[in-house]
Amino acid sequence: AVQNWDCCLQTLEGHREEIRCIALSMDGQTLASASEDGIIMTWDVSTGECLQVLERHVGWVTSLEFSRASHDPILVSVSSQEIKIWDTRKATCLRTIHNATACQAIFSRSQASPLLVSISKVTDAKAISVWDPNTGDCLDRLKGHQKRVTSVAFSPCSLSHLASGSADNTIKIWD
């Protein structure tokens, strides 16, 4: 069946500067958006209502991702200087990881012991940082690419498989 993508259901307005990234929660009910001024907003997808305005990041937000647990209101946001972990229901920053120089961060699927991984465009760009989102501690640095890591993705079927793509024209699968 072909869907009709010509039908715009909503237009969400409220940012004062260009939108840099967006993310949908796993249950599809909440959308997060970030603009060039470092402001993050959360929205009710069904009504279009702005739910929260989160405090500013240092620099542009380059990546947003919700926790992969459908009931979990946790959001990770990344700027060039820090990673922040948010409770979007309470509009509070749970943790800030300073000097992370990340450009992307994603959550693992494991609900029992979730991990956060990040990649950088500048500092040690050939490595992947593995973080404990509950403590902000760096648990490991995955090294093996010859050039900078350009993307990462957790397997939707496995709790531990991570794939990374690199400017060295390779993809690595990590466990």
Side-chain angles (χ1 to χ4, degrees):
V2 176
Q3 291 192 351
N4 179 6
W5 289 102
D6 294 335
C7 181
C8 176
L9 299 176
Q10 302 227 29
T11 300
L12 308 178
E13 297 181 15
H15 281 288
R16 295 188 182 148
E17 297 203 20
E18 181 179 321
I19 307 297
R20 300 299 289 180
C21 52
I22 59 174
L24 277 167
S25 62
M26 291 302 288
D27 63 9
Q29 296 180 21
T30 305
L31 180 129
S33 58
S35 57
E36 283 189 353
D37 58 7
I39 299 291
I40 300 169
M41 300 174 83
T42 60
W43 308 84
D44 182 307
V45 171
S46 61
T47 66
E49 173 189 0
C50 177
L51 301 172
Q52 305 284 352
V53 177
L54 306 178
E55 67 183 67
R56 288 182 190 263
H57 249 280
V58 176
W60 288 355
V61 176
T62 58
S63 174
L64 289 171
E65 181 169 297
F66 279 96
S67 166
R68 296 178 185 265
S70 62
H71 63 281
D72 201 345
I74 305 302
L75 175 76
V76 62
S77 59
V78 176
S79 75
S80 62
Q81 299 176 38
E82 61 190 6
I83 297 172
K84 290 190 177 210
I85 300 170
W86 305 89
D87 180 327
T88 59
R89 285 197 191 120
K90 298 177 183 173
T92 56
C93 180
L94 301 174
R95 182 157 285 75
T96 300
I97 302 171
H98 296 283
N99 301 317
T101 64
C103 64
Q104 180 188 6
I106 61 171
F107 282 106
S108 68
R109 288 182 37 101
S110 173
Q111 294 180 27
S113 56
L115 296 174
L116 181 68
V117 299
S118 67
I119 58 173
S120 173
K121 286 186 179 177
V122 286
T123 307
D124 203 9
K126 297 178 197 174
I128 301 163
S129 298
V130 181
W131 306 91
D132 180 333
N134 297 314
T135 65
D137 293 335
C138 185
L139 303 175
D140 204 353
R141 307 269 296 146
L142 307 178
K143 297 181 180 183
H145 283 291
Q146 300 305 308
K147 293 186 178 179
R148 72 181 171 85
V149 179
T150 56
S151 60
V152 286
F154 274 106
S155 166
C157 301
S158 167
L159 296 182
S160 62
H161 282 141
L162 173 71
S164 60
S166 170
D168 66 10
N169 305 333
T170 66
I171 298 166
K172 295 196 179 293
I173 309 296
W174 307 84
D175 188 20

